[in-house]
Amino acid sequence: MSENIIFITKPNGKLTGSIRVTGDKSMSHRSIMLGALAKGTTKVSGFLNGEDCLATIKAFREMGVEIEGPESGHVTIHGVGMLGLKAPEVALDMGNSGTAMRLLTGIMAGQNFGSVLTGDASLSTRPMRRITRPLEQMGASITTRESGTPPLSILGDHQLAGIHYDLPVASAQVKSAVLLAGLYAEGQTSVTEPAVTRDHTERMLRGFGYEVITDGNYMSLQGGGELTACNIDVPADISSAAFFMVGASIAQGSDLTLEHVGVNPTRTGVIDILKLMGADITLSNQKEVGGEPVADIRIRSAVLKGIQIPEALVPLAIDEFPSLFVAACFAEGQTVLTGAEELRVKESDRIQVMADGLLACGADVTPTPDGIIINGGSLGAGEIDSHGDHRIAMAFAMAGLCAGGSITINDCANVDTSFPHFIKIASKAGVNIAII
Ligand code: S3P
């Protein structure tokens, strides 16, 4: 059990100045995985020194990969090549990270040794059949608990064969697990996704010199190739930036710039949704860094209005709904989210846990099986439980900017999984928040 770190907010903050939030979590995980499997030395900058990505580093060290850092965002990975991993002597503990576990399972399915992947209490309740099913179709042998949850035991030593897989859920983690296993499979591996999801795996594979074909919602690659080491500049994480986009939008008098944020079009749903709500967001300094678009994002406070959130934007903003719910609470009118049942199987059941917290602060919200209905107005003081979910904790930290009184947020230790130094950066930007 982690210590009960508690955040306490005070109202009447506004966000100003210029900040750079921590590195992108999705890209940081992938940089370690592909760097480890590449031939040669990969140098990463902007790496997220959060617990989730450190779990990925630790797992590859257990398999004999020499990794230096992270030090000030710099990591050096001495790649061992596609077949150079060594059998780990211990179970690989992926902590709180669904991304680490699901992507690594794809890689482990292709090894000639067995492995066991475990996780913390939250990860141990998350669905894994979504990856074991396609990987077993490719020839892998993986056991889960009867409930389809971790720990995972991957037998290894099974030659994989390429398949085509129609993803039943719009999940970049499932897509990535299949494509990464496909690196080890005979012939072609392809997927079709029901809606566009983040494409960092495809982009980064190309950066390592591996051909991946993308045609709309269809992706494919041929097994048996090699990865060539490269340098990776990880931009700031738009999912971490999102808290500040919401905070600056709702806190009157705010004018905040978020520097060097990854604005890959498969991740920018939060900007589109906030703009539909009337937010004042402008992008500048747009450029492409290592195959990924980045920009500075300026947010000025605005009067928000409730909207029906277009379902096509849901996978493009999948991690940003806790903070978007907060924005909806301060908007005029009703916000309705549908088609987002995936939120129920994240680090917590984000529909229920957010609804409980917002209700505790006096909001008018109704959870539904696949979303939520929020009647905007205001929030009052309250005490909430983040259920160990980093994004719930940080969303309520932003709610505290405009709430009628202080919000006490329990169980915040896991903020360190994705956003170390959140309190320091939030305080610098103007959030009145203390940690006890
Ligand atoms: C991620 C994909 C998303 C997201 C997660 C990171 C990734 O999960 O919620 O935080 O890095 O591929 P799903 O693909 O399961 O929706």
Side-chain angles (χ1 to χ4, degrees):
M1 282 292 278
S2 50
E3 202 188 334
N4 182 19
I5 302 285
I6 300 170
F7 292 171
I8 298 188
T9 69
K10 279 208 203 98
N12 300 326
K14 64 175 179 180
L15 303 187
T16 55
S18 209
I19 56 171
R20 177 165 172 165
V21 300
T22 43
D24 188 276
K25 185 150 70 76
S26 294
M27 289 184 227
S28 295
H29 281 300
R30 287 158 171 82
S31 70
I32 299 300
M33 295 179 184
L34 299 190
L37 298 178
K39 268 195 172 161
T41 302
T42 291
K43 291 193 178 218
V44 185
S45 58
F47 185 83
L48 171 62
N49 191 7
E51 287 167 3
D52 276 10
C53 300
L54 295 178
T56 295
I57 290 189
K58 190 156 176 281
F60 281 92
R61 283 187 177 138
E62 299 285 3
M63 293 188 282
V65 182
E66 199 191 319
I67 302 172
E68 297 167 53
E71 185 140 3
S72 309
H74 292 279
V75 180
T76 303
I77 308 146
H78 299 276
V80 294
M82 292 302 293
L83 300 174
L85 296 178
K86 296 204 175 76
E89 284 174 5
V90 293
L92 302 174
D93 181 1
M94 310 323 298
N96 192 243
S97 177
T99 307
M101 181 169 282
R102 295 199 176 110
L103 272 58
L104 195 58
T105 303
I107 294 172
M108 291 297 104
Q111 304 305 313
N112 56 14
F113 53 80
S115 51
V116 175
L117 306 191
T118 61
D120 71 2
S122 153
L123 184 52
S124 298
T125 66
R126 296 183 65 187
M128 293 297 151
R129 288 219 173 95
R130 53 179 58 197
I131 53 162
T132 60
R133 246 185 240 120
L135 295 175
E136 281 171 351
Q137 282 176 29
M138 296 174 81
S141 178
I142 305 171
T143 57
T144 63
R145 282 218 179 102
E146 215 168 285
S147 47
T149 52
L152 301 180
S153 272
I154 302 141
L155 226 46
D157 218 5
H158 283 53
Q159 176 55 50
L160 304 183
I163 56 166
H164 174 73
Y165 192 62
D166 275 317
L167 297 183
V169 279
S171 164
Q173 294 181 353
V174 179
K175 168 176 68 176
S176 300
V178 173
L179 291 177
L180 291 171
L183 300 175
Y184 290 95
E186 266 171 20
Q188 176 170 297
T189 296
S190 57
V191 296
T192 308
E193 45 186 11
V196 173
T197 69
R198 66 190 68 191
D199 64 355
H200 303 301
T201 300
E202 300 91 294
R203 286 178 190 250
M204 205 177 280
L205 279 169
R206 290 185 195 111
F208 278 87
Y210 209 101
E211 191 187 4
V212 183
I213 291 167
T214 299
D215 184 4
N217 288 10
Y218 169 90
M219 296 88 205
S220 73
L221 54 74
Q222 299 291 329
E226 282 188 346
L227 299 170
T228 309
C230 64
N231 292 341
I232 298 171
D233 174 1
V234 178
D237 197 327
I238 189 167
S239 296
S240 299
F243 300 107
F244 293 92
M245 289 185 213
V246 166
S249 294
I250 61 176
Q252 245 191 359
S254 294
D255 184 350
L256 182 73
T257 300
L258 298 161
E259 298 159 10
H260 201 70
V261 182
V263 287
N264 178 316
T266 62
R267 298 285 299 280
T268 46
V270 61
I271 297 178
D272 297 332
I273 293 169
L274 283 172
K275 279 189 171 169
L276 288 172
M277 295 176 81
D280 180 352
I281 301 179
T282 48
L283 269 58
S284 64
N285 241 336
Q286 300 196 45
K287 55 190 168 201
E288 196 158 302
V289 179
E292 291 276 356
V294 297
D296 294 339
I297 302 178
R298 181 177 182 188
I299 310 102
R300 281 171 280 196
S301 49
V303 176
L304 300 183
K305 61 178 196 303
I307 58 163
Q308 167 83 46
I309 297 174
E311 285 195 7
L313 292 178
V314 169
L316 311 183
I318 193 66
D319 291 336
E320 285 64 77
F321 285 104
S323 54
L324 285 168
F325 292 177
V326 168
C329 284
F330 292 102
E332 286 170 4
Q334 189 174 71
T335 295
V336 180
L337 172 67
T338 55
E341 55 278 348
E342 273 296 298
L343 293 180
R344 293 200 179 271
V345 290
K346 293 293 178 187
E347 286 83 328
S348 70
D349 175 344
R350 287 185 173 158
I351 293 175
Q352 196 57 50
V353 173
M354 279 306 296
D356 290 345
L358 293 171
L359 286 166
C361 298
D364 177 357
V365 305
T366 311
T368 62
D370 67 339
I372 199 163
I373 302 165
I374 298 176
N375 290 309
S378 60
L379 289 180
E383 176 161 356
I384 75 108
D385 185 344
S386 82
H387 286 259
D389 186 328
H390 54 136
R391 300 204 194 281
I392 306 275
M394 291 185 275
F396 277 98
M398 293 302 156
L401 281 164
C402 306
S406 173
I407 299 182
T408 301
I409 312 164
N410 286 295
D411 202 0
C412 296
N414 278 341
V415 165
D416 284 351
T417 60
S418 70
F419 203 151
H421 311 303
F422 168 72
I423 291 290
K424 196 169 138 208
I425 293 175
S427 304
K428 182 184 168 208
V431 182
N432 296 318
I433 191 161
I435 186 166
I436 58 170

